[in-house]
C-alpha cells in the first residue's frame, strides 16, 4: 500500500454537508489494516494472542500493589488496586473487540469499543501512578531506584499520552468540520503516538517485576498445596499459589 492516501471527509454544515475527497499522506491504523488482507487477519491474531498475557499482568499488578500494607485506609488502597486491575482488563478486552470488529463492519460498536479502550487506558495509567505514589512513596516508605525510575517514566508517558490524544481529537474534529487537506494525517500521526506511548507505558512492567518469576506446577498432584508456588513478588517475597498466599 502506498504511503499517500486519499480519504473521504464529511464537510460541515457551512458547506452544505457535501462529501469531499482530500489529500492525506498518512493512513490511520484502521485504514492501513482494517480493509486489507492478510493484514487484518495477522493483526487480529496477534491481538488475540497477546490478550491472555495482558490479563495475567493485570492480576500480577494487583498482587504487586497489595503486597504493600498501609496502616491507614488499607481497605481503600486495596479497593483502588482492584479497580486498577479491572480497568486493565477492560482496556485489553476493548482492544480485542475493536480489533475484531472494524469500523466498516459495525461503525457504532467499533466507536464504542474505541471510547471504552481509551477511557479505561487513561484512567488505568492515572490511577496506577496514584497507587504507586500512595503505597510505595509514602511517609515511611523507602522506594528503590528502580521504583523511582518506573514512576517517573509512567508519569511522563501518561502526560505525553493524554496530551497527544487531546491533540488528535482536535485534528479529528477539524477534519470532520472543514475537511482540509492533510489534517486527517495529523490525526493519524497522533493515533500512532497514542498507541506507541501506551505500549511504552505497559513495557515498564519489566522494571516493576524485575525480581519476579512465574513457576508452573502440576495441579493434578496428590498434594498440590505442597507444590512450589508459581509466582513470586519482589522485596517481600510474596508467593502466590492457586490454593493460598504465603510470605517466605
Amino acid at each position: 500500500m502506498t504511503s499517500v492516501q486519499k480519504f473521504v471527509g464529511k464537510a460541515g454544515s457551512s458547506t452544505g454537508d457535501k462529501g469531499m475527497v482530500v489529500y492525506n499522506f498518512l493512513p490511520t491504523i484502521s485504514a492501513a489494516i482494517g480493509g486489507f488482507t492478510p493484514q487484518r487477519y495477522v493483526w487480529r491474531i496477534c491481538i488475540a494472542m497477546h490478550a491472555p498475557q495482558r490479563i495475567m499482568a493485570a492480576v500480577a499488578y494487583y498482587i504487586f500493589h497489595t503486597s504493600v500494607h498501609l496502616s491507614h485506609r488499607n481497605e481503600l488502597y486495596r479497593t483502588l488496586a482492584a479497580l486498577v486491575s479491572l480497568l486493565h482488563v477492560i482496556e485489553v478486552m476493548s482492544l480485542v473487540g475493536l480489533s475484531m470488529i472494524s469500523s466498516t463492519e459495525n461503525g457504532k460498536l467499533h466507536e464504542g469499543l474505541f471510547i471504552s479502550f481509551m477511557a479505561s487506558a487513561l484512567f488505568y495509567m492515572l490511577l496506577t501512578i496514584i497507587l504507586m505514589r500512595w503505597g510505595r512513596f509514602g511517609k515511611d516508605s523507602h522506594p528503590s531506584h528502580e521504583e523511582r525510575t518506573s514512576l517517573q517514566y509512567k508519569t511522563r508517558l501518561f502526560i505525553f499520552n493524554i496530551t497527544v490524544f487531546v491533540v488528535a481529537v482536535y485534528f479529528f474534529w477539524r477534519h470532520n468540520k472543514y475537511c482540509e487537506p492533510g489534517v486527517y494525517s495529523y490525526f493519524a500521526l497522533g493515533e500512532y503516538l497514542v498507541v506507541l506511548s501506551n505500549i511504552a507505558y505497559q513495557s515498564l512492567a519489566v522494571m516493576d517485576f524485575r525480581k519476579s518469576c512465574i513457576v508452573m506446577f502440576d495441579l493434578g498432584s496428590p498434594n498440590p498445596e505442597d507444590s512450589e508456588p508459581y509466582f513470586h513478588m519482589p522485596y517481600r517475597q510474596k508467593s502466590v499459589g492457586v490454593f493460598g498466599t504465603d510470605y517466605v
Side-chain angles (χ1 to χ4, degrees):
M1 185 177 63
T2 60
S3 60
V4 177
Q5 303 287 326
K6 284 188 176 181
F7 299 94
V8 177
K10 180 182 176 183
S13 57
S14 60
T15 59
D17 291 327
K18 296 180 180 179
M20 297 175 59
V21 178
V22 294
Y23 168 83
N24 282 281
F25 57 87
L26 187 66
T28 62
I29 295 176
S30 297
I33 297 172
F36 298 90
T37 55
Q39 292 97 312
R40 62 178 176 179
Y41 299 125
V42 173
W43 174 265
R44 290 174 179 180
I45 290 171
C46 291
I47 292 296
M49 289 180 62
H50 104 293
Q53 290 85 350
R54 290 284 301 277
I55 293 175
M56 287 178 61
V59 176
Y61 263 114
Y62 175 77
I63 299 170
F64 173 77
H65 292 305
T66 55
S67 64
V68 176
H69 182 83
L70 303 181
S71 57
H72 300 289
R73 296 190 290 182
N74 189 62
E75 286 302 317
L76 178 60
Y77 176 79
R78 292 176 66 88
T79 301
L80 184 60
L83 176 60
V84 167
S85 292
L86 176 61
L87 287 171
H88 196 164
V89 172
I90 293 173
E91 176 190 349
V92 174
M93 298 311 297
S94 298
L95 176 60
V96 171
L98 68 89
S99 299
M100 299 300 171
I101 304 171
S102 67
S103 57
T104 55
E105 293 170 336
N106 191 323
K108 291 293 183 181
L109 183 56
H110 182 86
E111 180 182 356
L113 288 168
F114 177 76
I115 293 172
S116 174
F117 167 74
M118 283 305 308
S120 57
L122 289 172
F123 278 110
Y124 166 75
M125 291 181 184
L126 175 61
L127 292 179
T128 297
I129 293 169
I130 293 174
L131 206 60
M132 287 192 68
R133 286 188 178 275
W134 188 7
R136 298 177 181 273
F137 290 79
K139 182 177 180 181
D140 299 323
S141 301
H142 302 284
S144 65
H145 172 72
E146 290 81 5
E147 288 176 329
R148 292 182 182 277
T149 303
S150 176
L151 183 60
Q152 288 176 357
Y153 283 151
K154 281 182 171 66
T155 303
R156 292 171 184 174
L157 285 169
F158 168 71
I159 294 173
F160 178 82
N161 186 275
I162 193 171
T163 301
V164 172
F165 175 67
V166 171
V167 173
V169 169
Y170 164 74
F171 282 124
F172 183 78
W173 168 83
R174 181 159 183 152
H175 164 73
N176 283 285
K177 181 70 174 178
Y178 303 108
C179 207
E180 301 167 306
V183 171
Y184 200 66
S185 294
Y186 294 128
F187 161 72
L189 178 60
E191 186 182 43
Y192 287 120
L193 292 176
V194 166
V195 170
L196 290 174
S197 58
N198 182 284
I199 293 173
Y201 189 100
Q202 303 296 344
S203 69
L204 292 174
V206 173
M207 300 184 68
D208 297 332
F209 298 114
R210 66 197 177 282
K211 294 183 180 179
S212 302
C213 65
I214 297 177
V215 181
M216 300 180 67
F217 59 85
D218 184 9
L219 292 177
S221 172
N223 297 301
E225 294 90 345
D226 298 329
S227 302
E228 290 294 325
Y230 69 89
F231 194 79
H232 299 271
M233 292 306 302
Y235 301 118
R236 297 184 69 191
Q237 299 181 21
K238 183 178 181 181
S239 302
V240 182
V242 173
F243 298 93
T245 303
D246 298 304
Y247 291 89
V248 295

